[in-house]
Amino acid sequence: MKHLADLTNPKIAKLYAAVPGEEVNKFRAFCDAYPYRSIRYRGSEWPYLASSGAGAPLLMLSGALTHPDIGWNSISHFGEEYRLVVPAYPAVRTMDELCDGISAILQHEGIGRAHVMGGSYGGFVGQVFVRRFPAVTRSLILSHTSVPDPAGIQSTRRMLKALSLFPTGVLRALLGRMLGKLMPANASSPAMRLMFAQFREIMDFHLARRDFLGIFDRTLDFYGRAWTAEDLAGWGGKILLVMAADDPASPERVRAGFRILYPPAEWKLFRGGGHTTSVTNQAEYQGVMDDFLRAQG
């Protein structure tokens, strides 16, 4: 797997034309510091990034675009202190398959237990992972994400089952429209310009038909799950929930669902920043998670 922003490709370079050169250079320095590693598991390649931080192992779960690079700022930050592992997602069709592959990466790295951090779609994965591998999960941080909705999934289920008949261009447009609603209207800052360019590069150049179908299938798998607060009764780990009041992915009804599923969890609710608080409020966002992780010892 290759990093993003290969500006020797004219078509890709065009996407980054509005991004300040200093911001691109910072990202390229990150790429040099974090070469991709890979294992082969159940017939698929499983790429991932890893750091050699001296702290406790930390599993950071990527978002729906499946590519870790778009979270490079957070990876750089947490990778300095923690032994970080950040998997990319191959085109598997279920959440259980995805979590099994992620567990195999941890085993390959010799990690028996790790703090688990997942934002947005990565929060879906984190909630499945802690239930599938509770002994591996030391603590759980979920940010800007959602909870299952098995009662309300039926109409979506019918629509997603038809996706296998759609051409790739329609799948790309559908995912782009869904994720585009989560992006802020103001993308004038250097960090946001870079993120938008990375978003377009992944969508247009890196995701194949099988990837789009895998993303949609795993999303349907997640939303159809029926969980209760008793699922983690015997686990014993701590949970931090980080949300934003104006995030369209986690409105009040979703936050109410989190309070039902995870009653002992600690909370941080941002006022502003929407779905991209990790970029728009970067220092405070990372600081909240640092404080939580350090409190775990």
Side-chain angles (χ1 to χ4, degrees):
M1 186 171 191
K2 295 182 179 180
H3 282 290
L4 301 177
D6 177 7
L7 302 187
T8 63
N9 183 325
K11 292 182 179 179
I12 291 177
K14 187 176 181 180
L15 298 176
Y16 291 83
V19 183
E22 182 180 356
E23 194 71 12
V24 175
N25 290 338
K26 287 192 291 185
F27 173 67
R28 294 308 310 174
F30 158 80
C31 297
D32 292 339
Y34 284 86
Y36 273 98
R37 306 178 185 182
S38 182
I39 66 168
R40 190 155 188 87
Y41 178 71
R42 293 181 182 171
S44 296
E45 289 297 320
W46 291 75
Y48 64 98
L49 301 176
S51 78
S52 55
L58 173 61
L59 172 64
M60 182 182 292
L61 298 166
S62 303
L65 292 176
T66 78
H67 205 300
D69 278 15
I70 204 163
W72 71 279
N73 260 313
S74 291
I75 295 170
S76 297
H77 174 82
F78 292 107
E80 291 183 3
E81 183 169 347
Y82 298 95
R83 186 180 174 191
L84 191 64
V85 173
V86 192
Y89 303 153
V92 295
R93 305 300 285 267
T94 70
M95 281 291 184
D96 287 349
E97 290 177 278
L98 185 60
C99 290
D100 288 352
I102 293 168
S103 176
I105 292 172
L106 294 179
Q107 292 177 31
H108 179 77
E109 288 288 322
I111 295 173
R113 293 186 74 214
H115 300 292
V116 176
M117 176 189 298
S120 191
Y121 187 94
F124 300 176
V125 184
Q127 292 176 78
V128 177
F129 190 90
V130 69
R131 288 167 170 81
R132 193 161 179 82
F133 298 103
V136 178
T137 308
R138 184 172 174 183
S139 69
L140 181 64
I141 300 175
L142 302 172
S143 78
H144 300 73
T145 187
S146 192
V147 292
D149 183 16
I153 197 65
Q154 294 308 315
S155 60
T156 306
R157 188 186 303 275
R158 289 191 294 270
M159 185 271 288
L160 291 182
K161 281 186 175 180
L163 288 180
S164 61
L165 304 175
F166 292 177
T168 303
V170 174
L171 298 176
R172 179 179 292 110
L174 180 59
L175 183 62
R177 191 177 305 115
M178 291 169 60
L179 299 181
K181 293 177 181 178
L182 304 177
M183 296 292 187
N186 184 359
S188 60
S189 73
M192 288 304 304
R193 288 186 182 185
L194 177 60
M195 190 180 78
F196 268 84
Q198 292 173 324
F199 174 82
R200 286 271 36 111
E201 181 184 349
I202 295 170
M203 290 290 294
D204 295 346
F205 293 94
H206 295 277
L207 295 181
R209 179 181 180 78
R210 63 182 181 276
D211 297 303
F212 290 118
L213 291 174
I215 292 166
F216 287 125
D217 281 347
R218 294 191 303 267
T219 300
L220 184 63
D221 178 2
F222 170 78
Y223 275 111
R225 297 194 175 220
W227 291 338
T228 73
E230 298 304 312
D231 296 341
L232 301 178
W235 172 48
K238 300 290 186 180
I239 300 175
L240 171 66
L241 301 175
V242 181
M243 306 288 168
D246 59 341
D247 181 2
S250 51
E252 175 52 35
R253 63 174 180 78
V254 170
R255 299 197 295 273
F258 273 109
R259 286 189 284 271
I260 292 170
L261 272 184
Y262 307 107
E266 299 178 28
W267 276 81
K268 169 62 179 179
L269 184 65
F270 283 88
R271 303 289 177 180
H275 195 67
T276 56
T277 309
S278 62
V279 179
T280 58
N281 303 63
Q282 185 180 116
E284 185 180 2
Y285 176 85
Q286 293 171 351
V288 168
M289 297 181 177
D290 281 331
D291 290 344
F292 174 81
L293 289 168
R294 289 167 185 157
Q296 307 313 305

